[in-house]
Amino acid sequence: MEIEVKINFDFEFAAKNMKKIMSETKEQILPNVEKQLKDNIKNFKGKPISKTTQEVRMMRFNSSTKPLIDSGRLLNSIKKTKTGISFKKYGLYQDEGYKIKSGHAFYAPSKKASFKKLFKVGGATVPAREWLHYTPTNKDFDAVFKNLMKSIRTINRTIAKKSIAF
């Protein structure tokens, strides 16, 4: 009797090409990441904006009370790039929270406006508004799995033959 062992997969090929596999996968899922980050800002459910922020926005003729959305610059800055996702740097500060330097003050709506008010905000703590999180969707998992399985498969080949006599 002859026993033949065949395989139709090769993990070594996948291991050698993991960088390429992940690059292909990243290109496929980055639009979903971009959309989800924008949705995180649009549908933010964290702490409301402070009274000072509300007052400053009203002076700028902006009645929005949504956190993270004032001018729309952060939201519009979220873009898919070749290497990942980019956005304005202050988005990171908003996500982590920060403390305003002591002695900091500003005029609203601006120094040149005929109607203005000086706001002394030094030492205030801006709470973290965690919007930088991503939960992969089933479509994203499928893309990873498909690319990985495509790289593991190989032609059906024999790796061993053994003859056994009874």
Side-chain angles (χ1 to χ4, degrees):
M1 179 164 123
E2 194 170 278
I3 298 177
E4 187 175 19
V5 179
K6 292 184 176 189
I7 63 168
N8 65 350
F9 61 91
D10 187 359
F11 290 107
E12 189 176 321
F13 180 78
K16 287 179 186 175
N17 293 301
M18 190 55 71
K19 199 172 195 177
K20 181 182 174 198
I21 294 164
M22 294 314 290
S23 177
E24 288 173 5
T25 303
K26 184 170 63 172
E27 287 177 22
Q28 292 172 347
I29 67 173
L30 277 178
N32 295 341
V33 175
E34 177 185 3
K35 182 183 180 313
Q36 194 174 113
L37 291 178
K38 286 182 177 184
D39 288 345
N40 290 348
I41 290 176
K42 291 175 188 172
N43 305 319
F44 186 76
K45 302 270 192 263
K47 291 182 180 179
I49 60 174
S50 70
K51 295 290 180 199
T52 302
T53 303
Q54 276 182 329
E55 195 174 335
V56 170
R57 285 186 182 182
M58 291 301 285
M59 292 177 85
R60 293 180 182 158
F61 304 106
N62 179 351
S63 60
S64 171
T65 58
K66 286 186 149 203
L68 299 172
I69 300 178
D70 179 16
S71 65
R73 284 184 294 200
L74 176 60
L75 185 63
N76 295 329
S77 73
I78 301 170
K79 301 272 188 250
K80 173 182 77 110
T81 66
K82 288 182 180 181
T83 57
I85 298 289
S86 70
F87 53 86
K88 295 235 178 245
K89 187 176 180 178
Y90 71 87
L92 191 58
Y93 299 136
Q94 290 290 337
D95 185 67
E96 297 173 348
Y98 59 97
K99 187 171 183 170
I100 300 172
K101 292 179 185 175
S102 61
H104 184 75
F106 67 94
Y107 284 99
S110 71
K111 278 187 177 181
K112 296 177 183 177
S114 58
F115 168 72
K116 60 188 174 194
K117 181 177 177 182
L118 178 66
F119 288 90
K120 295 179 181 179
V121 293
T125 300
V126 177
R129 301 195 186 282
E130 296 175 2
W131 66 276
L132 269 176
H133 52 86
Y134 168 69
T135 305
T137 63
N138 288 339
K139 184 179 176 183
D140 298 337
F141 282 122
D142 289 345
V144 173
F145 184 74
K146 180 182 172 190
N147 288 341
L148 188 59
M149 292 308 290
K150 185 171 59 175
S151 68
I152 290 174
R153 291 192 184 125
T154 185
I155 58 171
N156 202 8
R157 63 184 177 174
T158 303
I159 60 168
K161 281 186 181 182
K162 186 80 171 179
S163 294
I164 302 173
F166 286 100

